[in-house]
Amino acid sequence: MMKLSTPLLPAGSAAMSVPVAAGASALAQTPGSASRHESVIDIDRASVRYGHHCALDGLTLRLDAGEVLGLLGHNGAGKTTTMKLILGLLAPQAGQVRVFGEDPHGPAAPRLRLALGYLPENVSFYDNLSGREVLDFFARLKRAPHAQATELLERVGLAAAAGRRVKTYSKGMRQRLGLAQALLGSPRLLLLDEPTVGLDPLATREFYARVDELRRAGTTIILCSHVLPGVERHIDRALILGQGRVLAAGSLDALREQAGLPLLIHVRGSPGPHALAALPAGSRTRMLADGRFEIALAAHAKLDALRGLLTDPAVHDLDIEPPSLETLYAHFGSAVAGEGESA
Amino acid sequence: MNPASVLAPVLTVAAKEFRDGLRNRWVAAIAIVCALLAVGLATFGAAASGQVGFTGLATTIASLASLAVFLIPLIALLLAYDSIVGEDEQGTLLLLLTYPLSRLQLLAGKFLGHGAILAVSTTLGFGLAGLVIGIGSDKVATGPLVAALGLFIVSATLLGWAFVGIAYVISAGASEKSRAAGLALVVWFAFVLVFDLGLLGFLVATGGAIGRDWLPWLLLLNPADVFRLANLAGFDANATAGPVSIGAGFPVPLLLAVQGAWVLAPFALAVWRFRRR
């Protein structure tokens, strides 16, 4: 894994310290904290059916404190259903769902929900209220301190627009208001559905810096996103769903290994026969349109190939591209598409 | 859970709805319409007999009731038809349901907020009109004016609340905002017009021979008619047009109690439908 990025702006890093501290204090109050070794989320072979349509088929998932999960899949793959199970909006027809060791659809739900933050996709809030009024409303419902609403508004960069009606907000501003809302009450479990949609690159970067901070503070986060390149560096594990079933689950390294996708090395210059001969067996080479030379090889053979290339003076430059989340996603996603057709 | 933590979210939602009502100018608009209606009727109430001037308290209240019976249900339905389906469309319903807040608490909060909007604006509007009448006319004594107008305001508010509940029933079952709006219009039409027309048709067709004893009770099945009856009590029944005249004679406390039932029943039905949504 790459190193975690740190917040770009000093304001961002200072801003994060407060909810982190508040999050730690929330640990003592919430119901699940009694059993420390309990997973934050424990889903055991859960299935959800709408009529004949199977929205989720035997999902098993465990998530511990401080883990960040990327929940990926096409529309209708079961992402929203999974979120709804965890949020307690749905009960599985088969299997079991436990959040902080309790049934989120059962009598413990009101208590569990105090420790939970959710950003739904496409939420437009109340047009006639100002950003501050909206956040105050949700803060009161979540029994979060009033001061926290003000802090969060500042943190997401809405302090100047806090008095304006939400009607006048841009898509990105609404999204930031939604994020502030999700962080109210310093939740120990965050479910974020397409959190970076509508955010500009800088705001996206700040958002992921916040995700890293929250993770370090022990917050469990589920990120549901279509914007795969951004999410890659900030998740511990990925869960790829398709047609209600788990296509692949695990850390990115494990997924890469499982997929056996080649690593790509792009070379500028013209590597001599010596360097090419040193490439491990099974490597494929081709010339790209821009004059670069592409070598596709198994990930474990990377160093051998690099040693050969680096000693060749004809090589001017090279870059290495491990199979990205996007390629992994395409790989596992196409697998199910094929199966679906044959079934 | 202690009562405070049960009630707190209800009040939070109610305060938000009320603020929304102030912001949308709902409160102001309803109050102004009510005041103009009342002052206009008091001033031009005698126009039918070729005069301009106050015709008397009972007549004014009766004409006010026959206009308000159209207007208040419409206002209440417009105010509340999108309460659930509208929140669903803007994504906030899903979000609210992930908060520590039950569906009953959410709907009760909304009801409290919408109820307060209606109560405050009708009291303001009709109260202001009463003040104008009281000051402007020396023919009417203060005591009866306050009593009659007080009863009118209370029953008008209850009428509004009943239709807020009916609007929630529509909203809880609707899949789209536009459908809820259409259905609200149909329901309004049915209660304020079709029901009475049907009753009138029945009376005319049978020549009034059938159902003299049970027909009046049928009026209690329509909250709009109950409201009309409550405000005709002090009025000469023979001068009243329409089928409502057959219902004269119900005591006011009974009518108010029926209005109360008409508030609770739709609300309970709405909660039930909302839970199944």
Side-chain angles (χ1 to χ4, degrees):
Chain A
M1 286 293 269
M2 296 196 196
K3 197 174 175 331
L4 305 176
S5 77
T6 43
L8 257 190
L9 306 168
S13 60
M16 278 321 300
S17 59
V18 178
V20 166
S25 71
L27 269 167
Q29 298 160 2
T30 33
S33 59
S35 40
R36 259 165 198 267
H37 305 290
E38 197 97 46
S39 300
V40 172
I41 292 174
D42 193 345
I43 301 178
D44 186 27
R45 284 163 291 169
S47 296
V48 177
R49 241 167 242 103
Y50 298 116
H52 289 297
H53 173 64
C54 191
L56 207 59
D57 186 11
L59 171 72
T60 296
L61 170 70
R62 278 180 75 104
L63 214 54
D64 290 322
E67 274 196 287
V68 179
L69 176 81
L71 189 56
L72 315 169
H74 300 294
N75 291 324
K79 290 178 307 207
T80 309
T81 307
T82 306
M83 290 242 198
K84 282 184 173 173
L85 278 180
I86 296 165
L87 290 164
L89 295 173
L90 277 179
Q93 272 112 2
Q96 203 185 43
V97 178
R98 288 286 175 271
V99 175
F100 298 121
E102 299 196 66
D103 180 4
H105 198 71
R111 277 179 300 139
L112 289 179
R113 285 169 181 186
L114 287 174
L116 204 137
Y118 175 47
L119 172 69
E121 197 183 356
N122 295 328
V123 59
S124 57
F125 293 114
Y126 305 107
D127 277 350
N128 281 308
L129 300 184
S130 70
R132 179 183 306 281
E133 284 168 334
V134 167
L135 209 57
D136 279 349
F137 170 63
F138 284 107
R140 244 176 266 132
L141 286 181
K142 211 158 204 177
R143 291 171 234 165
H146 181 76
Q148 199 193 18
T150 313
E151 282 167 22
L152 283 170
L153 276 173
E154 242 166 69
R155 206 147 300 150
V156 298
L158 285 178
R164 266 166 52 194
R165 290 193 191 192
V166 173
K167 197 188 297 186
T168 67
Y169 280 20
S170 68
K171 170 86 181 123
M173 290 166 84
R174 282 168 199 253
Q175 193 70 10
R176 282 185 274 162
L177 186 60
L179 280 172
Q181 171 277 132
L183 293 173
L184 281 170
S186 312
R188 292 166 53 213
L189 172 60
L190 266 176
L191 290 102
L192 307 173
D193 201 346
E194 297 293 348
T196 55
V197 166
L199 292 186
D200 60 56
L202 186 66
T204 304
R205 212 164 160 161
E206 279 174 11
F207 164 75
Y208 280 121
R210 187 150 311 146
V211 166
D212 294 339
E213 290 273 358
L214 288 165
R215 163 161 69 174
R216 261 172 264 159
T219 310
T220 306
I221 303 174
I222 296 184
L223 279 177
C224 212
S225 184
H226 284 117
V227 193
L228 297 172
V231 102
E232 194 161 8
R233 291 187 296 143
H234 306 277
I235 58 177
D236 297 312
R237 285 199 281 151
L239 178 69
I240 304 178
L241 292 175
Q243 296 171 349
R245 286 186 298 146
V246 176
L247 302 183
S251 69
L252 289 184
D253 288 340
L255 289 182
R256 282 187 185 120
E257 202 162 304
Q258 193 185 332
L261 289 174
L263 180 96
L264 299 179
I265 301 177
H266 292 135
V267 179
R268 241 162 32 84
S270 44
H274 178 68
L276 290 181
L279 289 179
S283 304
R284 282 174 291 116
T285 58
R286 64 178 178 135
M287 208 66 178
L288 295 182
D290 59 2
R292 286 188 306 170
F293 196 70
E294 185 184 83
I295 303 163
L297 74 171
H300 60 80
K302 176 175 70 176
L303 283 177
D304 283 340
L306 282 178
R307 280 190 195 104
L309 289 168
L310 288 176
T311 51
D312 188 338
V315 172
H316 302 310
D317 191 12
L318 58 80
D319 53 72
I320 307 162
E321 229 178 82
S324 64
L325 187 54
E326 219 166 341
T327 22
L328 286 172
Y329 177 71
H331 172 80
F332 289 110
S334 62
V336 80
E339 273 176 46
E341 277 156 29
S342 64
Chain B
M1 273 208 272
N2 60 334
S5 67
V6 173
L7 211 59
V10 175
L11 293 178
T12 302
V13 174
K16 183 243 146 206
E17 289 301 332
F18 190 75
R19 192 191 288 254
D20 233 356
L22 286 177
R23 208 51 69 73
N24 289 337
R25 312 256 188 278
W26 265 110
V27 175
I30 301 170
I32 289 170
V33 166
C34 291
L36 285 179
L37 199 68
V39 173
L41 272 176
T43 314
F44 302 107
S49 48
Q51 297 166 302
V52 171
F54 191 66
T55 51
L57 186 58
T59 323
T60 305
I61 293 282
S63 344
L64 210 50
S66 54
L67 273 179
V69 82
F70 288 97
L71 204 64
I72 287 177
L74 190 64
I75 289 173
L77 288 168
L78 279 177
L79 184 68
Y81 81 92
D82 66 344
S83 291
I84 297 165
V85 71
E87 294 249 12
D88 198 1
E89 280 184 11
Q90 69 194 10
T92 40
L93 184 64
L94 188 65
L95 185 59
L96 282 173
L97 293 180
T98 68
Y99 271 68
L101 170 82
S102 72
R103 290 178 189 225
L104 173 63
Q105 282 172 315
L106 178 59
L107 210 56
K110 283 189 168 283
F111 188 80
L112 222 59
H114 287 142
I117 290 172
L118 282 173
V120 167
S121 52
T122 47
T123 307
L124 219 67
F126 291 125
L128 208 68
L131 216 62
V132 172
I133 295 168
I135 294 168
S137 165
D138 44 4
K139 273 189 281 180
V140 57
T142 314
L145 175 68
V146 170
L149 205 62
L151 174 65
F152 180 78
I153 289 173
V154 168
S155 57
T157 303
L158 286 171
L159 175 66
W161 290 357
F163 277 89
V164 167
I166 291 169
Y168 291 163
V169 175
I170 295 168
S171 203
S175 54
E176 285 162 47
K177 216 162 130 175
S178 54
R179 280 191 193 199
L183 200 56
L185 214 60
V186 170
V187 165
W188 173 78
F189 196 66
F191 273 119
V192 304
L193 269 173
V194 177
F195 188 90
D196 279 12
L197 275 179
L199 222 55
L200 193 63
F202 181 81
L203 278 175
V204 171
T206 60
I210 305 170
R212 272 272 157 206
D213 46 343
W214 52 265
L215 263 179
W217 293 94
L218 218 55
L219 286 174
L220 301 186
L221 293 180
N222 183 349
D225 283 335
V226 184
F227 165 75
R228 257 191 270 208
L229 288 174
N231 289 288
L232 289 176
F235 193 64
D236 182 8
N238 295 326
T240 317
V244 171
S245 58
I246 62 168
F250 284 117
V252 172
L254 171 75
L255 292 170
L256 288 182
V258 173
Q259 281 205 292
W262 262 110
V263 174
L264 293 177
F267 180 74
L269 183 62
V271 171
W272 179 76
R273 273 189 100 169
F274 187 26
R275 283 190 172 144
R276 288 165 50 101
R277 185 183 172 94

